[in-house]
């Protein structure tokens, strides 16, 4: 129940009829969304689809984070839509701002230059704070500390197929730590020195590199250069314990000091992806082929006509991005020595 004095209030604690609820245990997991008040109607669309396709039977919690206070409309609309408990957190300004070691003039000059070169979000300060926050802080927000697993949801996404099992439970039972639905090549102009910075960290942190890691997915020459493959982080189901680990924090803090969140425009997607490829064992990373998903401009429509019918998918398989030349998902199959899903050739 909610209380004005609780530092960690639940909004609209829900009760459910037995018939509306999938049997079985629940994992210690939550959905998490970073959003502005102005995103309310776009996140409402996302929540409605996540609920219809999955959460209406599972009632997982949902944490909303914002650099400003959430307003009454945002809280009431999202609380009404989520079948689990909702929590609303304001981000500490220390985690959403320039660290003191950043040279403001240098950062401003970069934004000006990227603006002229028309690099997407290249002139944006808030986008950089967002990428740094998603890279290094969301998983240690006080509201997130109660949980071990997260599923990230952004505004305006779509889910195309019924999810008739619990993906969190799948992650736990199969010892997965990180997962994705779409992968692609990063726009190099946003990360020119990210790999050099990463190599510096690797050199001093050999003890943090996993055996049987996913290096071959991110580098075609044994780590000399980055091939720009990354998991698209607007969808993620993953382990918060891993992100809070000494290894991950060491990597994030190293990158933060390097300054590339501000002197370039490093995204949280390549940061999470490189970390996962280096610090996790290959088999700890999972591709959810069965979760049909869209975030502008790419779609993951599950390969396999029978699966799509059985799960009432409403995506057009010819819009599927996976077997397109700009996707890194085929490389992921190769690394895992998995056979490509049946029917992929027809959907190329
Ligand atoms: P894109 O997917 O890379 O085009 O970036 P988005 O605009 O979708 O931003 C990524 C996520 O961060 C979304 O969940 C946004 O709602 C959120 N976000 C982006 N900028 C801000 C911001 O300035 N404040 C807050 N609170 N959230 C933001
Ligand atoms: Mn987005």
């Amino acid at each position: 129940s909610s209380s004005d004095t609780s530092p960690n209030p639940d909004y609209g604690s829900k009760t459910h009829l037995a018939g509306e609820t999938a049997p079985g245990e629940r994992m210690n997991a939550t959905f998490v969304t970073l959003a502005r008040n102005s995103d309310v109607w776009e996140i409402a669309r996302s929540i409605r689809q996540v609920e219809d396709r999955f959460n209406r039977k599972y009632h997982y919690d949902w944490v909303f984070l914002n650099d400003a206070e959430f307003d009454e409309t945002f809280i009431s609309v999202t609380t009404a839509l989520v079948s689990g408990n909702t929590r609303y957190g304001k981000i500490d300004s220390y985690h959403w701002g320039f660290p003191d070691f950043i040279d403001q003039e240098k950062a401003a000059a970069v934004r000006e230059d990227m603006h002229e070169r028309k690099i997407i979000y290249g002139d944006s300060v808030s986008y950089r704070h967002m990428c740094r926050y998603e890279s290094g802080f969301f998983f240690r927000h006080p509201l997130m500390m109660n949980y071990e697993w997260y599923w990230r949801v952004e505004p305006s996404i779509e889910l195309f197929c019924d999810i008739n099992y619990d993906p969190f439970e799948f992650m736990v039972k199969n010892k997965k730590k990180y997962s994705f639905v779409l992968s692609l090549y990063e726009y190099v102009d946003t990360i020119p020195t990210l790999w050099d910075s990463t190599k510096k960290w690797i050199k001093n942190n050999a003890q943090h590199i996993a055996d049987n890691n996913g290096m071959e997915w991110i580098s075609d020459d044994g780590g000399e250069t980055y091939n720009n493959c990354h998991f698209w982080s607007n969808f993620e189901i993953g382990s918060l314990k891993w992100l809070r680990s000494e290894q991950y924090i060491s990597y994030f803090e190293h990158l933060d000091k390097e300054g590339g969140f501000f002197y370039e425009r490093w995204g949280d997607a390549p940061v999470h992806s490189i970390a996962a490829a280096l610090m996790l064992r290959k088999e700890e990373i999972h591709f959810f082929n069965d979760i049909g998903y869209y975030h502008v401009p790419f779609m993951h429509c599950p390969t396999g006509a029978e699966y799509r019918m059985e799960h009432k998918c409403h995506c057009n398989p010819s819009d599927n991005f996976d077997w397109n030349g700009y996707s890194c998902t085929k490389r992921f199959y190769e690394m895992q020595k998995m056979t490509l899903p049946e029917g992929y050739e027809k959907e190329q």
Side-chain angles (χ1 to χ4, degrees), residues 4 57 60 106 128 139 141 167 203 216 235 245 335 337:
D4 289 343
K57 290 186 290 183
Y60 277 105
K106 183 174 166 186
R128 286 182 172 79
F139 48 85
H141 187 282
K203 217 169 148 197
E216 67 180 273
F235 170 101
S245 70
M335 170 177 80
K337 304 202 167 39

Side-chain angles (χ1 to χ4, degrees), residues 154-155 234 295:
E154 284 204 359
N234 47 65
H295 175 294

Side-chain angles (χ1 to χ4, degrees), residues 138 148-151 167-180 210 231 236-245 247-248 272 275-277 279-288 332 336:
F138 83 90
E148 284 178 48
W149 299 90
Y150 73 103
W151 181 333
F168 290 122
E169 187 179 8
F170 175 90
M171 298 289 287
V172 175
K173 297 268 154 78
N174 293 284
K175 300 189 163 54
K176 305 292 183 187
K177 299 272 174 62
Y178 190 81
S179 67
F180 70 101
F231 307 119
E236 294 178 312
I237 299 175
S239 164
L240 293 163
K241 274 194 182 164
W242 170 55
L243 292 174
R244 293 179 199 128
S245 70
Q247 293 94 295
Y248 184 85
H272 289 181
M279 295 171 215
L280 301 179
R281 298 171 60 85
K282 286 177 195 177
E283 64 271 18
E284 292 176 316
I285 305 177
H286 181 64
F287 170 53
F288 277 109
F332 183 83
Q336 303 288 25

Side-chain angles (χ1 to χ4, degrees), residues 300-316:
H300 167 65
C301 186
T303 300
E306 205 178 320
Y307 176 86
R308 290 195 301 271
M309 300 304 144
E310 282 169 0
H311 294 81
K312 302 179 170 42
C313 302
H314 71 284
C315 50
N316 178 346

Side-chain angles (χ1 to χ4, degrees), residues 293-341:
Y293 178 84
Y294 178 79
H295 175 294
V296 66
F298 300 120
M299 177 187 291
H300 167 65
C301 186
T303 300
E306 205 178 320
Y307 176 86
R308 290 195 301 271
M309 300 304 144
E310 282 169 0
H311 294 81
K312 302 179 170 42
C313 302
H314 71 284
C315 50
N316 178 346
S318 60
D319 293 334
N320 181 32
F321 183 68
D322 302 340
W323 317 122
N324 175 312
Y326 293 105
S327 166
C328 291
T329 298
K330 211 175 195 172
R331 286 172 177 265
F332 183 83
Y333 272 79
E334 283 160 12
M335 170 177 80
Q336 303 288 25
K337 304 202 167 39
M338 300 188 311
T339 41
L340 289 162

Side-chain angles (χ1 to χ4, degrees), residues 34-36 39 66-67 96 121 126-127 130 152 154-155 295:
L34 176 66
R36 295 155 287 218
D39 292 320
N66 187 353
D67 57 307
W96 190 282
Y121 300 119
S126 65
Y127 195 84
M130 183 278 287
R152 175 169 165 184
E154 284 204 359
H295 175 294

